[in-house]
Amino acid sequence: MTLNLFDDTAPDEPSTRQLAPGALLLRGFVQGESDGGNEGSSTAMLADIEAITSQAPFRHLVTPGGFTMSVAMSNCGQLGWVSSRRGYRYVSADPISGNPWPCMPASWLALASRAATAAGYPGFVPDACLINQYAPGSKMSLHQDRDEHDLSQPIVSLSLGLPAVFLFGGLKRSDKPQRVPLQHGDVVVWGGPTRLAFHGVMPLEEGEHALLGRRRINLTFRCASC
Ligand code: MD3
Ligand code: FE
């Protein structure tokens, strides 16, 4: 018998909460089962993630400082985010295979656009989707996302699988971050004054998710070059 210490199911009704001016949390935006069509079902999204990462496998990138990241990453879309000793950048081909990144599924684009619109950013058409995979213990240190061309465009993030504690700081690294628990199906839209906020993820706790198993996956939709 395993004791389930946290409720990792999506709520029955989606709800929205403003985390800060410009940042909106859409709880349960993606549901476990589709109630019509492909878009918005986490089971269908997981199948898409498996297809994408069979072409562009998850890998642990190295930071410019020489540290290997504990989060494993892949990408889909016209551009993908990569890190190496040479720096951070968006590239159109997977450096492992030399092939273009897999296409962003149309249903993902529709989901990201619908979330951005709900948060007050209509017309969001991302050209990049970074796929982060966390195993228990994986974390992301406080950082800013500033490698994108147009910082007036928001970033849309979707959490799947095990819950995580997201750290949401201010515009200075030294600002004390808020802790925001993120669960399977939660979407956060980050724009306006929060677009350059420092943020990170606490080490993932052990657990087993009904659909994803012992991991968390986070998708971030970005306008890298549009
Ligand atoms: C707040 N990923 O990939 S998503 C990243 O859960 C990243 O994997 C985290 O930070 C994850 O860069 C957090 C939420 C997120 C993404 C971008 C942001 C929050 C943000 C940009 C500005 C402010
Ligand atoms: Fe980030």
Side-chain angles (χ1 to χ4, degrees), residues 73 81 130 132 134 140-146 148 155 166 190 195 197-201 218 220 222:
M73 297 180 168
W81 185 86
L130 174 62
N132 293 332
Y134 294 72
M140 197 174 281
S141 306
L142 278 184
H143 66 278
Q144 292 171 298
D145 289 18
R146 52 187 316 157
E148 299 75 27
I155 289 182
F166 179 72
W190 309 90
R195 180 63 182 75
F198 279 90
H199 59 278
V201 179
N218 182 269
T220 49
R222 301 140 183 274

Side-chain angles (χ1 to χ4, degrees), residues 68-83:
T68 300
M69 298 178 75
S70 61
V71 177
M73 297 180 168
S74 183
N75 291 279
C76 65
Q78 281 160 253
L79 290 168
W81 185 86
V82 295
S83 175

Side-chain angles (χ1 to χ4, degrees), residues 62-113:
V62 176
T63 66
F67 296 99
T68 300
M69 298 178 75
S70 61
V71 177
M73 297 180 168
S74 183
N75 291 279
C76 65
Q78 281 160 253
L79 290 168
W81 185 86
V82 295
S83 175
S84 74
R85 291 305 299 241
R86 294 164 48 208
Y88 306 126
R89 63 203 182 283
Y90 282 95
V91 293
S92 58
D94 180 347
I96 292 180
S97 64
N99 296 329
W101 296 105
C103 291
M104 199 186 304
S107 58
W108 292 21
L109 203 56
L111 178 91
S113 161

